[in-house]
Amino acid sequence: MSRPDDKGRISGLPTTSHGKRFQLWALGLFCTERHLAKRLRNNSFYPFTQQHPNVFVLEYYLDALWKGALLFVVCLFLVSFHLVSQVNKQETWGFPAYGVGIGLWIMISSLPRRRLVLNHTCGIYHFSIQGHTVFQGPMHLVYVRLARSFDAYGRCFFQLVLCGHKLEPLVLVHLSERYEQMELLGRHIARKLNINYFDCLDMSYRHVVRHWPLGAAFNPSIVPHKTRAYDRPGSQSDLDV
């Protein structure tokens, strides 16, 4: 049975390739449900890699790293060439200088590599930053969530997010208006990784709960429902979006 060692890593598990550590760096314009479905066809456990049976590993860098780097470079360019030193005879060089500092801080805080391990053999997930354990806990604390938001015109948009206790939310799909496709993809990912799936509504019959807190009884917010066609193991219909 594998266990976390003193470096915050599950012993015996190889690290993932460097390219996969940047796989979540998709720009919002391209991070659509079709993009996710294509990734899932290539790797049914996306964004994780299956290292052993019932053990999935995800190593990544936050996408804030490139955003901070872009802010740093742009503001440094403006400061270096005095492009916005004055506006209407008022000194404005402080704004890009402030941006340089903020961009540098975002870069430094996003540089440490993150590592998330779903170990169903031990019944735990393990999250570490640069080899230092941040949290290790039971599987019911990590899940896929369909988040919902509204724009100024009242249009509803959905995000597919990997969430967990002490874990920074990882957006798998950015804003999309296609609820059915987003739900199918979210349920597919949760089924392949054997974790919980939660709908955008707190009380919904669309929740799929596979792991419960120890000693938990029936939760009234989880409404029983019949198994639907796209819950069949091995079904590929949920990737045809």
Side-chain angles (χ1 to χ4, degrees):
M1 181 179 297
S2 60
R3 61 178 178 82
D5 61 16
D6 57 352
K7 293 185 178 180
R9 152 180 316 191
I10 301 297
S11 58
L13 295 182
T15 58
T16 57
S17 63
H18 292 283
K20 291 186 177 181
R21 296 176 184 175
F22 303 96
Q23 62 183 338
L24 296 176
W25 285 24
L27 297 176
L29 180 62
F30 303 103
C31 192
T32 64
E33 61 273 12
R34 291 184 180 274
H35 174 83
L36 178 59
K38 182 179 179 180
R39 291 290 185 94
L40 287 170
R41 292 190 187 98
N42 296 329
N43 172 21
S44 60
F45 302 106
Y46 178 85
F48 289 79
T49 299
Q50 186 179 35
Q51 299 287 16
H52 297 293
N54 297 320
V55 178
F56 308 98
V57 178
L58 171 62
E59 290 187 346
Y60 63 97
Y61 293 96
L62 292 179
D63 61 355
L65 179 59
W66 74 263
K67 296 174 183 177
L70 180 62
L71 177 62
F72 175 80
V73 171
V74 171
C75 291
L76 184 63
F77 177 80
L78 295 177
V79 171
S80 300
F81 293 93
H82 307 285
L83 297 181
V84 289
S85 58
Q86 283 190 349
V87 176
N88 293 331
K89 298 183 179 180
Q90 293 184 353
E91 296 290 337
T92 58
W93 61 269
F95 292 103
Y98 180 74
V100 170
I102 293 298
L104 184 61
W105 177 80
I106 294 176
M107 287 175 54
I108 294 175
S109 62
S110 303
L111 273 175
R113 174 176 50 85
R114 271 72 171 166
R115 180 179 172 91
L116 175 61
V117 179
L118 306 179
N119 192 332
H120 291 286
T121 303
C122 300
I124 61 172
Y125 79 95
H126 181 267
F127 177 58
S128 61
I129 298 179
Q130 205 62 33
H132 300 285
T133 298
V134 175
F135 184 78
Q136 177 176 288
M139 294 301 301
H140 72 271
L141 294 179
V142 61
Y143 53 91
V144 175
R145 181 68 187 257
L146 185 62
R148 181 178 61 173
S149 60
F150 297 90
D151 66 5
Y153 300 99
R155 291 188 302 172
C156 186
F157 294 92
F158 301 94
Q159 286 184 316
L160 205 55
V161 188
L162 178 66
C163 306
H165 184 62
K166 297 292 185 180
L167 176 67
E168 300 124 335
L170 298 177
V171 179
L172 304 178
V173 178
H174 288 268
L175 302 180
S176 171
E177 296 182 271
R178 304 175 69 184
Y179 172 83
E180 291 80 8
Q181 286 77 8
M182 294 283 280
E183 181 195 27
L184 292 172
L185 289 171
R187 291 167 66 104
H188 174 88
I189 293 172
R191 184 181 71 244
K192 297 298 291 187
L193 298 176
N194 191 22
I195 59 178
N196 293 340
Y197 168 83
F198 292 105
D199 188 57
C200 55
L201 300 177
D202 292 334
M203 180 174 287
S204 173
Y205 71 90
R206 297 178 181 271
H207 298 325
V208 180
V209 180
R210 298 177 173 88
H211 306 279
W212 294 82
L214 185 63
F218 171 74
N219 189 326
S221 67
I222 309 298
V223 182
H225 64 286
K226 296 181 180 180
T227 301
R228 299 175 65 174
Y230 50 72
D231 285 330
R232 294 196 303 265
S235 173
Q236 294 299 317
S237 61
D238 49 355
L239 300 184
D240 298 331
V241 297

mmCIF file with all atom_site columns, all heavy atoms in Angstrom, residues 14 48 76 79 103 113 120 148 202-203 227 236:
data_model
loop_
_atom_site.group_PDB
_atom_site.id
_atom_site.type_symbol
_atom_site.label_atom_id
_atom_site.label_alt_id
_atom_site.label_comp_id
_atom_site.label_asym_id
_atom_site.label_entity_id
_atom_site.label_seq_id
_atom_site.pdbx_PDB_ins_code
_atom_site.Cartn_x
_atom_site.Cartn_y
_atom_site.Cartn_z
_atom_site.occupancy
_atom_site.B_iso_or_equiv
_atom_site.pdbx_formal_charge
_atom_site.auth_seq_id
_atom_site.auth_comp_id
_atom_site.auth_asym_id
_atom_site.auth_atom_id
_atom_site.pdbx_PDB_model_num
ATOM 1   N N   . PRO A 1 14  ? 5.718   7.649  -10.444 1.00 0.00 ? 14  PRO A N   1
ATOM 2   C CA  . PRO A 1 14  ? 6.566   8.497  -11.271 1.00 0.00 ? 14  PRO A CA  1
ATOM 3   C C   . PRO A 1 14  ? 5.904   9.829  -11.527 1.00 0.00 ? 14  PRO A C   1
ATOM 4   O O   . PRO A 1 14  ? 4.689   9.972  -11.461 1.00 0.00 ? 14  PRO A O   1
ATOM 5   C CB  . PRO A 1 14  ? 6.706   7.682  -12.571 1.00 0.00 ? 14  PRO A CB  1
ATOM 6   C CG  . PRO A 1 14  ? 5.473   6.841  -12.613 1.00 0.00 ? 14  PRO A CG  1
ATOM 7   C CD  . PRO A 1 14  ? 5.144   6.523  -11.182 1.00 0.00 ? 14  PRO A CD  1
ATOM 8   N N   . PHE A 1 48  ? -6.086  14.086 -15.416 1.00 0.00 ? 48  PHE A N   1
ATOM 9   C CA  . PHE A 1 48  ? -5.156  13.234 -14.679 1.00 0.00 ? 48  PHE A CA  1
ATOM 10  C C   . PHE A 1 48  ? -4.489  12.224 -15.599 1.00 0.00 ? 48  PHE A C   1
ATOM 11  O O   . PHE A 1 48  ? -4.894  12.032 -16.747 1.00 0.00 ? 48  PHE A O   1
ATOM 12  C CB  . PHE A 1 48  ? -5.897  12.490 -13.562 1.00 0.00 ? 48  PHE A CB  1
ATOM 13  C CG  . PHE A 1 48  ? -6.337  13.356 -12.417 1.00 0.00 ? 48  PHE A CG  1
ATOM 14  C CD1 . PHE A 1 48  ? -7.475  14.146 -12.526 1.00 0.00 ? 48  PHE A CD1 1
ATOM 15  C CD2 . PHE A 1 48  ? -5.624  13.386 -11.234 1.00 0.00 ? 48  PHE A CD2 1
ATOM 16  C CE1 . PHE A 1 48  ? -7.894  14.948 -11.477 1.00 0.00 ? 48  PHE A CE1 1
ATOM 17  C CE2 . PHE A 1 48  ? -6.036  14.180 -10.178 1.00 0.00 ? 48  PHE A CE2 1
ATOM 18  C CZ  . PHE A 1 48  ? -7.166  14.960 -10.299 1.00 0.00 ? 48  PHE A CZ  1
ATOM 19  N N   . LEU A 1 76  ? 6.662   46.501 -17.589 1.00 0.00 ? 76  LEU A N   1
ATOM 20  C CA  . LEU A 1 76  ? 8.091   46.819 -17.624 1.00 0.00 ? 76  LEU A CA  1
ATOM 21  C C   . LEU A 1 76  ? 8.442   47.541 -18.914 1.00 0.00 ? 76  LEU A C   1
ATOM 22  O O   . LEU A 1 76  ? 9.254   48.491 -18.912 1.00 0.00 ? 76  LEU A O   1
ATOM 23  C CB  . LEU A 1 76  ? 8.908   45.535 -17.492 1.00 0.00 ? 76  LEU A CB  1
ATOM 24  C CG  . LEU A 1 76  ? 10.423  45.709 -17.428 1.00 0.00 ? 76  LEU A CG  1
ATOM 25  C CD1 . LEU A 1 76  ? 10.824  46.511 -16.183 1.00 0.00 ? 76  LEU A CD1 1
ATOM 26  C CD2 . LEU A 1 76  ? 11.121  44.347 -17.426 1.00 0.00 ? 76  LEU A CD2 1
ATOM 27  N N   . VAL A 1 79  ? 7.238   51.145 -18.574 1.00 0.00 ? 79  VAL A N   1
ATOM 28  C CA  . VAL A 1 79  ? 8.094   51.926 -17.674 1.00 0.00 ? 79  VAL A CA  1
ATOM 29  C C   . VAL A 1 79  ? 9.435   52.224 -18.323 1.00 0.00 ? 79  VAL A C   1
ATOM 30  O O   . VAL A 1 79  ? 9.956   53.348 -18.238 1.00 0.00 ? 79  VAL A O   1
ATOM 31  C CB  . VAL A 1 79  ? 8.289   51.172 -16.345 1.00 0.00 ? 79  VAL A CB  1
ATOM 32  C CG1 . VAL A 1 79  ? 9.351   51.851 -15.487 1.00 0.00 ? 79  VAL A CG1 1
ATOM 33  C CG2 . VAL A 1 79  ? 6.976   51.098 -15.569 1.00 0.00 ? 79  VAL A CG2 1
ATOM 34  N N   . GLY A 1 103 ? 2.717   41.981 -11.170 1.00 0.00 ? 103 GLY A N   1
ATOM 35  C CA  . GLY A 1 103 ? 3.032   40.884 -12.081 1.00 0.00 ? 103 GLY A CA  1
ATOM 36  C C   . GLY A 1 103 ? 4.129   39.992 -11.541 1.00 0.00 ? 103 GLY A C   1
ATOM 37  O O   . GLY A 1 103 ? 4.054   38.760 -11.640 1.00 0.00 ? 103 GLY A O   1
ATOM 38  N N   . ARG A 1 113 ? 5.330   24.063 -8.280  1.00 0.00 ? 113 ARG A N   1
ATOM 39  C CA  . ARG A 1 113 ? 4.562   23.027 -8.972  1.00 0.00 ? 113 ARG A CA  1
ATOM 40  C C   . ARG A 1 113 ? 3.535   22.399 -8.024  1.00 0.00 ? 113 ARG A C   1
ATOM 41  O O   . ARG A 1 113 ? 3.824   22.062 -6.895  1.00 0.00 ? 113 ARG A O   1
ATOM 42  C CB  . ARG A 1 113 ? 5.511   21.952 -9.503  1.00 0.00 ? 113 ARG A CB  1
ATOM 43  C CG  . ARG A 1 113 ? 4.841   20.746 -10.120 1.00 0.00 ? 113 ARG A CG  1
ATOM 44  C CD  . ARG A 1 113 ? 5.892   19.797 -10.697 1.00 0.00 ? 113 ARG A CD  1
ATOM 45  N NE  . ARG A 1 113 ? 6.928   19.512 -9.722  1.00 0.00 ? 113 ARG A NE  1
ATOM 46  C CZ  . ARG A 1 113 ? 6.833   18.550 -8.799  1.00 0.00 ? 113 ARG A CZ  1
ATOM 47  N NH1 . ARG A 1 113 ? 5.743   17.818 -8.717  1.00 0.00 ? 113 ARG A NH1 1
ATOM 48  N NH2 . ARG A 1 113 ? 7.829   18.334 -7.967  1.00 0.00 ? 113 ARG A NH2 1
ATOM 49  N N   . HIS A 1 120 ? -7.390  5.831  -4.722  1.00 0.00 ? 120 HIS A N   1
ATOM 50  C CA  . HIS A 1 120 ? -8.559  5.073  -4.278  1.00 0.00 ? 120 HIS A CA  1
ATOM 51  C C   . HIS A 1 120 ? -8.164  3.802  -3.542  1.00 0.00 ? 120 HIS A C   1
ATOM 52  O O   . HIS A 1 120 ? -8.978  3.248  -2.804  1.00 0.00 ? 120 HIS A O   1
ATOM 53  C CB  . HIS A 1 120 ? -9.437  4.732  -5.482  1.00 0.00 ? 120 HIS A CB  1
ATOM 54  C CG  . HIS A 1 120 ? -10.115 5.920  -6.084  1.00 0.00 ? 120 HIS A CG  1
ATOM 55  N ND1 . HIS A 1 120 ? -11.183 6.558  -5.483  1.00 0.00 ? 120 HIS A ND1 1
ATOM 56  C CD2 . HIS A 1 120 ? -9.868  6.616  -7.221  1.00 0.00 ? 120 HIS A CD2 1
ATOM 57  C CE1 . HIS A 1 120 ? -11.578 7.572  -6.228  1.00 0.00 ? 120 HIS A CE1 1
ATOM 58  N NE2 . HIS A 1 120 ? -10.797 7.635  -7.288  1.00 0.00 ? 120 HIS A NE2 1
ATOM 59  N N   . ARG A 1 148 ? -22.325 27.936 -12.004 1.00 0.00 ? 148 ARG A N   1
ATOM 60  C CA  . ARG A 1 148 ? -23.226 28.760 -12.817 1.00 0.00 ? 148 ARG A CA  1
ATOM 61  C C   . ARG A 1 148 ? -23.015 30.228 -12.503 1.00 0.00 ? 148 ARG A C   1
ATOM 62  O O   . ARG A 1 148 ? -22.776 30.608 -11.352 1.00 0.00 ? 148 ARG A O   1
ATOM 63  C CB  . ARG A 1 148 ? -24.678 28.370 -12.531 1.00 0.00 ? 148 ARG A CB  1
ATOM 64  C CG  . ARG A 1 148 ? -25.706 29.142 -13.321 1.00 0.00 ? 148 ARG A CG  1
ATOM 65  C CD  . ARG A 1 148 ? -27.115 28.653 -13.014 1.00 0.00 ? 148 ARG A CD  1
ATOM 66  N NE  . ARG A 1 148 ? -27.460 28.814 -11.602 1.00 0.00 ? 148 ARG A NE  1
ATOM 67  C CZ  . ARG A 1 148 ? -28.674 28.596 -11.108 1.00 0.00 ? 148 ARG A CZ  1
ATOM 68  N NH1 . ARG A 1 148 ? -29.655 28.190 -11.905 1.00 0.00 ? 148 ARG A NH1 1
ATOM 69  N NH2 . ARG A 1 148 ? -28.906 28.757 -9.820  1.00 0.00 ? 148 ARG A NH2 1
ATOM 70  N N   . ASP A 1 202 ? -27.695 23.604 -5.439  1.00 0.00 ? 202 ASP A N   1
ATOM 71  C CA  . ASP A 1 202 ? -27.320 22.937 -4.199  1.00 0.00 ? 202 ASP A CA  1
ATOM 72  C C   . ASP A 1 202 ? -28.198 21.719 -3.925  1.00 0.00 ? 202 ASP A C   1
ATOM 73  O O   . ASP A 1 202 ? -27.716 20.698 -3.431  1.00 0.00 ? 202 ASP A O   1
ATOM 74  C CB  . ASP A 1 202 ? -27.392 23.915 -3.020  1.00 0.00 ? 202 ASP A CB  1
ATOM 75  C CG  . ASP A 1 202 ? -26.324 24.993 -3.094  1.00 0.00 ? 202 ASP A CG  1
ATOM 76  O OD1 . ASP A 1 202 ? -25.277 24.719 -3.722  1.00 0.00 ? 202 ASP A OD1 1
ATOM 77  O OD2 . ASP A 1 202 ? -26.524 26.086 -2.556  1.00 0.00 ? 202 ASP A OD2 1
ATOM 78  N N   . MET A 1 203 ? -29.487 21.829 -4.217  1.00 0.00 ? 203 MET A N   1
ATOM 79  C CA  . MET A 1 203 ? -30.397 20.698 -4.062  1.00 0.00 ? 203 MET A CA  1
ATOM 80  C C   . MET A 1 203 ? -30.826 20.242 -5.437  1.00 0.00 ? 203 MET A C   1
ATOM 81  O O   . MET A 1 203 ? -31.529 20.968 -6.148  1.00 0.00 ? 203 MET A O   1
ATOM 82  C CB  . MET A 1 203 ? -31.606 21.079 -3.206  1.00 0.00 ? 203 MET A CB  1
ATOM 83  C CG  . MET A 1 203 ? -32.602 19.942 -3.012  1.00 0.00 ? 203 MET A CG  1
ATOM 84  S SD  . MET A 1 203 ? -33.934 20.332 -1.859  1.00 0.00 ? 203 MET A SD  1
ATOM 85  C CE  . MET A 1 203 ? -33.040 20.280 -0.323  1.00 0.00 ? 203 MET A CE  1
ATOM 86  N N   . THR A 1 227 ? -30.882 5.571  -12.745 1.00 0.00 ? 227 THR A N   1
ATOM 87  C CA  . THR A 1 227 ? -29.682 5.654  -13.559 1.00 0.00 ? 227 THR A CA  1
ATOM 88  C C   . THR A 1 227 ? -30.064 5.942  -14.998 1.00 0.00 ? 227 THR A C   1
ATOM 89  O O   . THR A 1 227 ? -30.921 5.278  -15.575 1.00 0.00 ? 227 THR A O   1
ATOM 90  C CB  . THR A 1 227 ? -28.897 4.341  -13.499 1.00 0.00 ? 227 THR A CB  1
ATOM 91  O OG1 . THR A 1 227 ? -28.560 4.087  -12.129 1.00 0.00 ? 227 THR A OG1 1
ATOM 92  C CG2 . THR A 1 227 ? -27.615 4.437  -14.318 1.00 0.00 ? 227 THR A CG2 1
ATOM 93  N N   . GLN A 1 236 ? -19.571 6.245  -24.741 1.00 0.00 ? 236 GLN A N   1
ATOM 94  C CA  . GLN A 1 236 ? -18.826 7.333  -25.348 1.00 0.00 ? 236 GLN A CA  1
ATOM 95  C C   . GLN A 1 236 ? -19.741 8.455  -25.832 1.00 0.00 ? 236 GLN A C   1
ATOM 96  O O   . GLN A 1 236 ? -19.280 9.437  -26.392 1.00 0.00 ? 236 GLN A O   1
ATOM 97  C CB  . GLN A 1 236 ? -17.990 6.809  -26.524 1.00 0.00 ? 236 GLN A CB  1
ATOM 98  C CG  . GLN A 1 236 ? -16.891 5.855  -26.109 1.00 0.00 ? 236 GLN A CG  1
ATOM 99  C CD  . GLN A 1 236 ? -15.875 6.499  -25.176 1.00 0.00 ? 236 GLN A CD  1
ATOM 100 O OE1 . GLN A 1 236 ? -15.457 7.622  -25.397 1.00 0.00 ? 236 GLN A OE1 1
ATOM 101 N NE2 . GLN A 1 236 ? -15.492 5.796  -24.126 1.00 0.00 ? 236 GLN A NE2 1
#
